[in-house]
Amino acid sequence: MMKARVTVTLKNGVLDPQGQAIEGSLSSLGFGGVSGVRQGKVFDLVLDGTDEAAARTQLTGMCEKLLANTVIENYQIEISN
Protein backbone atom coordinates (compact mmCIF):
# COMPACT_ATOMS: atom_id res chain seq x y z
CA MET A 1 0.00 0.00 0.00
CA MET A 2 1.07 3.55 -0.71
CA LYS A 3 -0.03 6.91 0.57
CA ALA A 4 -0.51 9.86 -1.72
CA ARG A 5 -1.22 13.52 -1.22
CA VAL A 6 -2.65 15.64 -4.01
CA THR A 7 -2.48 19.40 -3.53
CA VAL A 8 -4.70 21.49 -5.79
CA THR A 9 -4.18 25.24 -6.09
CA LEU A 10 -5.50 27.97 -8.34
CA LYS A 11 -3.27 28.92 -11.26
CA ASN A 12 -1.48 32.26 -11.10
CA GLY A 13 -3.69 35.00 -12.49
CA VAL A 14 -6.95 33.33 -11.46
CA LEU A 15 -8.89 35.47 -9.00
CA ASP A 16 -9.20 33.95 -5.53
CA PRO A 17 -12.05 35.64 -3.64
CA GLN A 18 -11.84 33.13 -0.78
CA GLY A 19 -8.13 33.84 -0.37
CA GLN A 20 -8.86 37.57 -0.35
CA ALA A 21 -11.55 37.09 2.32
CA ILE A 22 -9.13 35.06 4.46
CA GLU A 23 -6.50 37.75 4.03
CA GLY A 24 -8.97 40.43 5.18
CA SER A 25 -10.03 38.33 8.15
CA LEU A 26 -6.43 37.74 9.21
CA SER A 27 -5.83 41.48 9.11
CA SER A 28 -8.94 42.22 11.17
CA LEU A 29 -7.82 39.63 13.73
CA GLY A 30 -4.55 41.47 14.17
CA PHE A 31 -2.33 39.36 11.90
CA GLY A 32 -0.86 42.20 9.87
CA GLY A 33 1.80 41.92 7.22
CA VAL A 34 0.10 39.00 5.46
CA SER A 35 -0.60 39.31 1.75
CA GLY A 36 -1.14 37.17 -1.32
CA VAL A 37 -3.26 34.54 0.47
CA ARG A 38 -4.35 31.75 -1.88
CA GLN A 39 -6.64 28.92 -0.86
CA GLY A 40 -6.45 25.36 -2.14
CA LYS A 41 -7.46 21.76 -1.51
CA VAL A 42 -5.56 18.75 -0.19
CA PHE A 43 -6.58 15.14 -0.82
CA ASP A 44 -4.95 12.29 1.14
CA LEU A 45 -5.41 8.87 -0.45
CA VAL A 46 -4.33 5.31 0.33
CA LEU A 47 -3.67 3.20 -2.77
CA ASP A 48 -3.30 -0.56 -3.12
CA GLY A 49 -0.11 -1.83 -4.70
CA THR A 50 3.54 -0.84 -4.63
CA ASP A 51 4.19 0.33 -8.22
CA GLU A 52 4.85 4.05 -7.88
CA ALA A 53 4.76 4.71 -11.63
CA ALA A 54 1.35 3.03 -11.96
CA ALA A 55 0.10 4.94 -8.92
CA ARG A 56 1.27 8.24 -10.39
CA THR A 57 -0.52 7.45 -13.65
CA GLN A 58 -3.70 6.59 -11.75
CA LEU A 59 -3.48 9.73 -9.61
CA THR A 60 -2.91 11.91 -12.67
CA GLY A 61 -6.09 10.47 -14.18
CA MET A 62 -7.98 11.22 -10.96
CA CYS A 63 -6.76 14.80 -11.02
CA GLU A 64 -7.53 15.33 -14.69
CA LYS A 65 -11.03 13.85 -14.43
CA LEU A 66 -12.26 14.83 -10.96
CA LEU A 67 -9.97 16.30 -8.33
CA ALA A 68 -8.81 19.41 -10.20
CA ASN A 69 -10.39 21.77 -12.68
CA THR A 70 -7.32 21.93 -14.91
CA VAL A 71 -8.58 25.04 -16.70
CA ILE A 72 -8.03 27.13 -13.56
CA GLU A 73 -6.16 24.82 -11.14
CA ASN A 74 -2.74 23.19 -10.88
CA TYR A 75 -2.11 19.99 -8.96
CA GLN A 76 0.90 18.38 -7.32
CA ILE A 77 1.20 14.68 -6.49
CA GLU A 78 3.33 13.31 -3.64
CA ILE A 79 3.63 9.56 -3.07
CA SER A 80 5.09 7.80 -0.02
CA ASN A 81 5.27 4.21 1.10
Side-chain angles (χ1 to χ4, degrees):
M1 296 181 70
M2 291 181 284
K3 293 181 180 180
R5 173 167 283 178
V6 176
T7 305
V8 179
T9 56
L10 289 170
K11 290 182 177 181
N12 289 333
V14 175
L15 294 178
D16 186 355
Q18 187 173 1
Q20 291 174 339
I22 293 167
E23 185 176 317
S25 295
L26 289 171
S27 178
S28 69
L29 291 170
F31 298 103
V34 177
S35 62
V37 176
R38 307 282 287 174
Q39 64 89 31
K41 303 177 274 194
V42 174
F43 300 94
D44 290 323
L45 303 98
V46 177
L47 305 170
D48 291 337
T50 58
D51 184 342
E52 186 173 329
R56 189 167 297 279
T57 298
Q58 185 179 28
L59 289 161
T60 299
M62 291 177 195
C63 291
E64 297 286 330
K65 293 179 180 177
L66 178 66
L67 301 180
N69 176 350
T70 57
V71 174
I72 62 168
E73 293 176 320
N74 293 317
Y75 60 87
Q76 180 180 346
I77 298 170
E78 300 171 48
I79 300 173
S80 61
N81 293 328

